[in-house]
Amino acid sequence: MKRKAVDTKDSPVTKRHREQIPEYCDVQPRKDDKGVTLWPASPSAINDAQSFLKQCATSQQKILIAPDKDADGLDAGVIIHRTLTALGADASSIDVHLVGKGNSIHDEEEREAMMRKKPMYIIIVDQGSRRAPPVVDNPDVKSLIIDHHLSDEFPQNALKAVNDAVSLLNAPRRTARFDVQSAWEALLAAKSPKDILTNRRLLSARAEINEEVERQTHTAPRFSKDGKVAVFRINSAAQVHPVIATRWAGHLKSAKLEIVLVANSGYVPGKVNFSCRVARCARNREPPVNIISSLKAVADLDTTDLVERMGESFARGHKEASGGIIPAQEFEELMALMQVGEKPDPPPDGEKKAPKKTGEKTAQKNKLDGYFGKKS
């Protein structure tokens, strides 16, 4: 006997509610005392930056552009290069400085390298900002810092103003060769996005990085004692730790998890380069997860001079995407403070788990452990 179909016309269909998760960089911009949004910078800062660029272009003196190594930094650097030539600067008077692997624009080595190029104007783009000496040790050199990272500290005497092609432009600087020069040259020579998409060097670099990410991404995580941080340890000469952090931040889920941290001990000898991302499952937490504050809070647990030994390259970047470059020993001390790998404390006697109900389904056997156990 056939079962009679159920009439569902008058039966309301209950749809599963999907939790709204904020976008990765969905943050509130700063506002002035009148409530006016200061984006991308205050009107006075933008006017000062415009005047600075016009002065550069008409000075007929040496100009040095120092963009960050990633796609937005290089793009911004090329835009400034073309802006200066459009304003009348001779292209031969414009030079570029690309920061070395594992270095910061504020490192003495980089400051000396910029000074050797004898510029009279320096434009630093997308490098972040922090308390530091002057950009170079020459009071006659004028500098402009253009950036979008969170910072209230700047070098002395500096003027501040606050998907395929992107992937290709980012690839060369992620390789073990740290080939930022290829990306800069490709971008500077490009007349259209097609020129980027067909560049053989960029395509080769992306294939190399994709292979390395796949090789490194199956490392199993260890968790901080409070369960808020998942730590992945890798060893690679390539800059794949930010890519892996972003990937796992979108996949790992836990009621306690807030931050995914990927530490690379093979990128720069003697140091650990690490990248942190807010876990997707934690993006709508209240109060919002702030990686920089969380990292600094852990470091402040130390009773010695760890914060000073880690230096200025600790907890830099954005509140939602931070990280650092610190000596290997200091990184291990940081992990100890975070109590990574330690078992959580047992719940109080009054909070024992409820007994398993009769007929309850058995736990799923196909878990993340099986995935992390794969060999590439």
Side-chain angles (χ1 to χ4, degrees), residues 192-210:
S192 71
K194 183 180 178 181
D195 297 330
I196 300 295
L197 299 176
T198 57
N199 185 289
R200 291 184 177 180
R201 169 57 191 143
L202 301 185
L203 289 167
S204 173
R206 185 169 67 176
E208 179 183 336
I209 290 303
N210 287 344

Side-chain angles (χ1 to χ4, degrees), residues 299 302 304-311 330-331 333-334 337:
D302 179 68
T304 64
D305 60 346
L306 177 62
V307 174
E308 289 74 17
R309 285 185 284 122
M310 287 192 295
E330 280 65 25
F331 182 79
E333 292 181 39
L334 184 69
L337 291 171

Side-chain angles (χ1 to χ4, degrees), residues 17-44:
H17 174 68
R18 294 192 66 180
E19 187 177 16
Q20 294 296 317
I21 298 177
E23 292 299 320
Y24 173 65
C25 285
D26 186 14
V27 295
Q28 293 296 317
R30 292 182 178 180
K31 297 183 179 182
D32 63 14
D33 54 3
K34 296 180 180 179
V36 178
T37 298
L38 300 177
W39 192 93
S42 66
S44 61

Side-chain angles (χ1 to χ4, degrees), residues 331-349:
F331 182 79
E332 298 304 332
E333 292 181 39
L334 184 69
M335 292 297 96
L337 291 171
M338 202 176 288
Q339 298 178 296
V340 174
E342 295 187 22
K343 293 182 178 180
D345 295 327
D349 293 338

Side-chain angles (χ1 to χ4, degrees), residues 75-332:
D75 283 343
V78 168
I79 289 171
I80 291 170
H81 189 286
R82 292 180 177 173
T83 298
L84 291 171
T85 56
L87 290 172
D90 191 325
S92 63
S93 69
I94 306 174
D95 202 352
V96 63
H97 175 74
L98 302 173
V99 176
K101 181 177 181 180
N103 286 357
S104 160
I105 192 73
H106 305 290
D107 290 346
E108 190 61 30
E109 176 185 347
E110 301 298 337
R111 296 174 66 240
E112 291 176 357
M114 288 190 288
M115 197 63 247
R116 286 196 294 271
K117 296 185 177 182
K118 300 180 179 179
M120 290 308 297
Y121 296 90
I122 298 179
I123 303 170
I124 296 179
V125 188
D126 193 38
Q127 298 277 11
S129 191
R130 70 188 192 200
R131 182 175 60 255
V135 174
V136 293
D137 288 326
N138 185 338
D140 295 326
V141 176
K142 298 178 180 180
S143 59
L144 169 67
I145 293 177
I146 302 176
D147 201 77
H148 64 118
H149 296 88
L150 178 66
S151 182
D152 293 309
E153 298 176 327
F154 299 88
Q156 299 166 22
N157 307 326
L159 172 66
K160 57 175 179 175
V162 174
N163 258 294
D164 228 11
V166 171
S167 173
L168 286 168
L169 289 168
N170 275 327
R173 55 100 172 180
R174 295 193 187 281
T175 63
R177 288 171 52 190
F178 193 68
D179 188 17
V180 185
Q181 188 70 37
S182 288
W184 171 262
E185 292 174 357
L187 193 56
L188 193 60
K191 304 300 181 184
S192 71
K194 183 180 178 181
D195 297 330
I196 300 295
L197 299 176
T198 57
N199 185 289
R200 291 184 177 180
R201 169 57 191 143
L202 301 185
L203 289 167
S204 173
R206 185 169 67 176
E208 179 183 336
I209 290 303
N210 287 344
E211 181 179 345
E212 182 66 3
V213 168
E214 182 60 27
R215 191 173 75 87
Q216 298 283 349
T217 200
H218 297 297
T219 301
R222 301 179 74 194
F223 292 85
S224 58
K225 186 175 181 178
D226 59 12
K228 293 182 179 181
V229 184
V231 179
F232 293 79
R233 305 290 293 261
I234 66 173
N235 190 309
S236 174
Q239 192 189 39
V240 293
H241 38 285
V243 179
I244 296 173
T246 300
R247 174 177 291 191
W248 280 117
H251 290 289
L252 286 182
K253 295 180 180 180
S254 165
K256 296 181 179 179
L257 182 64
E258 295 182 354
I259 298 169
V260 172
L261 184 156
V262 178
N264 187 352
S265 57
Y267 189 63
V268 175
K271 293 187 177 182
V272 175
N273 291 62
F274 66 97
S275 293
C276 300
R277 299 291 184 268
V278 174
R280 182 176 176 80
C281 63
R283 287 187 200 165
N284 60 350
R285 302 270 173 86
E286 288 295 340
V289 177
N290 183 323
I291 297 176
I292 293 177
S293 296
S294 296
L295 289 174
K296 289 183 176 180
V298 172
D300 286 342
L301 296 173
D302 179 68
T303 57
T304 64
D305 60 346
L306 177 62
V307 174
E308 289 74 17
R309 285 185 284 122
M310 287 192 295
E312 292 289 342
S313 291
F314 171 68
R316 309 304 305 180
H318 307 274
K319 293 182 292 184
E320 305 82 11
S322 183
I325 308 170
I326 61 178
Q329 178 57 43
E330 280 65 25
F331 182 79
E332 298 304 332

